[in-house]
Amino acid sequence: MVPSYFFAHGAPSLVIEEHGYTDFLKSFAKDKVKPKAIVLFSAHWESTIQSIGAVDTYSTIYDFSGFPEQLYQITYPAHGDAALSDQIQTLFAEKGIPSRLDHERGLDHGAWAVLKLLYPDADIPVIALSVNRNLTNEQQYQIGQALAELREQDIMIIGSGGTVHNLRRIEWGANAAADWAVSFDQWLKSKLETWDLEALFNYREEAPYGKDSVPTSEHFIPLLLAMGTGDRNRQAKLVYQDYQMGTLSLSCWKFE
């Protein structure tokens, strides 16, 4: 069974940066069997109904501005998989989750910046999935649960977002992580490793600096989605943790 993963995607420039986290992402696939396909929830595709990518070949969306010109030259022309898109819609329907197929949208930077580092050849079919911040945290988890059986088909499920993601509290030029950001991530680690769903579903109220770390939920939601796919075994492992600019968390979680 293929594990599911949560990857922080940092800033759009992640894909051209050089540091410990990008080294980790570039080496991620070296000792792993290539998955049959990748199903990816991106924090940067928001929709009020669960949307499922169903394109033949994805365009590359540059959903940012003011970054180096080099970024706008990067492409990630991954292919879709129509049969898998249909299967995902069926799995959602079986759990009473409304969904729609999207035949036009390309990959945003929450998807392609991570995938370009993990699998640079774009030779694995990708199904992009949206997130909906209007749902409860329990409903987010249930969406992940609905896709769990895909892991038995050599399909990797990825949530791409960020745990501590407050752009207004970035500390430019900081050499160390802010105490409050570390405090939140440490709390999160303890609750993920013990699979404390009640606490996690109420993280904004229960976690130290919950509202500072997660001022809006769209970047946190992919973590709950990826976690939900691991409900059967309930094993979470922090694979990587670091910070940029004092507060921007760069983490990878694996769910067995």
Side-chain angles (χ1 to χ4, degrees), residues 161-174:
T163 54
V164 181
H165 191 274
N166 187 337
L167 301 184
R168 293 188 176 185
R169 301 210 47 190
I170 281 177
E171 300 177 3
W172 300 98

Side-chain angles (χ1 to χ4, degrees), residues 22-97:
T22 57
D23 289 344
F24 162 74
L25 293 175
K26 290 174 184 178
S27 64
F28 171 83
K30 289 182 179 178
D31 60 349
K32 296 176 179 62
V33 177
K34 183 183 294 186
K36 177 182 175 182
I38 295 172
V39 174
L40 187 147
F41 292 93
S42 171
H44 289 278
W45 185 9
E46 292 192 64
S47 176
T48 55
I49 183 171
Q50 180 63 60
S51 297
I52 305 165
V55 302
D56 292 327
T57 303
Y58 287 95
S59 61
T60 305
I61 302 173
Y62 306 102
D63 49 335
F64 46 80
S65 61
F67 285 87
E69 181 61 28
Q70 178 185 357
L71 271 182
Y72 303 92
Q73 306 305 317
I74 295 174
T75 60
Y76 197 82
H79 294 291
D81 183 325
L84 181 54
S85 295
D86 289 341
Q87 181 185 0
I88 290 171
Q89 188 169 44
T90 297
L91 292 173
F92 284 146
E94 290 173 351
K95 299 298 183 180
I97 300 169

Side-chain angles (χ1 to χ4, degrees), residues 103-157:
H103 298 277
E104 298 180 359
R105 194 178 192 279
L107 295 177
D108 57 66
H109 81 270
W112 64 258
V114 170
L115 292 174
K116 186 75 171 179
L117 293 170
L118 296 175
Y119 297 101
D121 295 331
D123 56 353
I124 301 172
V126 173
I127 307 299
L129 297 178
S130 67
V131 302
N132 180 2
R133 71 168 85 183
N134 297 319
L135 302 178
T136 67
N137 291 325
E138 183 174 8
Q139 288 173 314
Q140 311 289 2
Y141 185 87
Q142 290 169 349
I143 288 172
Q145 281 182 290
L147 300 183
E149 68 180 66
L150 296 178
R151 297 172 52 198
E152 300 175 3
Q153 302 169 30
D154 296 329
I155 295 170
M156 181 182 292
I157 302 173

